[in-house]
Amino acid sequence: RYNYLSWSATVVSGSTVTITGAGVVEVRARQPGGDDYLAAPETVQALQILKAVQTISFSGLASRSYGAAPFDLAASASSGLPVRLRIGFGAAVLSEPNRVTLTGAGTIGVIASQEGNQNFQAAAEVTQFFDVTKASLTVRAADASRVFGFPNPAFTGTITGLANNDVL
């Protein structure tokens, strides 16, 4: 007859032990004896159940142009635990839940991490990089004229292509 002392295992039936988490499991075996045999001494076996390894899946990121609309990122852990994303470097900000807003051109590094819990080890961090290309601006000066000897007219024109409320 078997029983256990732990939150990390359950006895399903007979001699089958099902591991339910990391920790120490003490399995106790007893045989009460019978008509022909004396009771056997109790035997205790301690099992150390180690935390499981987990990995992060975080796919490559496509290049974008400065001024592109904010976009969401997704990463997952093999454990099913939530993954934390953060901007490692570059001109971008990350808001919840995992929405990226570009604040400039250049290379952006996004780091995915999962710190683990009572049953899973911390996952190795995964970093993905993507490039943000410069936005195109168009400047068009308005035609003007002046009469010789008179002051120059005010410069006017239009600028198109500004992004993220940028001003010149």
Side-chain angles (χ1 to χ4, degrees), residues 19-90:
I19 304 302
T20 59
V24 176
V25 176
E26 283 188 356
V27 178
R28 298 175 185 268
R30 290 189 288 272
Q31 197 284 324
D35 292 339
D36 297 322
Y37 294 96
L38 295 173
E42 181 176 273
T43 301
V44 178
Q45 178 69 49
L47 300 172
Q48 175 69 41
I49 311 303
L50 302 176
K51 289 183 177 187
V53 174
Q54 63 172 329
T55 58
I56 293 174
S57 295
F58 186 26
S59 298
L61 304 172
S63 295
R64 291 182 162 68
S65 293
Y66 176 68
F71 57 96
D72 294 327
L73 297 176
S76 62
S78 59
S79 64
L81 296 170
V83 174
R84 178 177 174 259
L85 297 174
R86 68 185 189 279
I87 302 296
F89 65 88

Side-chain angles (χ1 to χ4, degrees), residues 104-165:
T107 300
I108 310 293
V110 182
I111 302 168
S113 61
Q114 206 316 304
E115 65 275 357
N117 66 7
Q118 69 275 10
N119 293 320
F120 290 92
Q121 297 176 18
E125 289 186 341
V126 176
T127 302
Q128 292 290 352
F129 302 94
F130 69 98
D131 291 320
V132 179
T133 58
K134 294 179 180 182
S136 296
L137 290 179
T138 302
V139 178
R140 177 159 290 145
D143 291 336
S145 62
R146 73 173 177 103
V147 175
F148 179 76
F150 283 81
N152 289 330
F155 175 77
T156 60
T158 59
I159 301 173
T160 56
L162 290 172
N164 298 334
N165 298 316

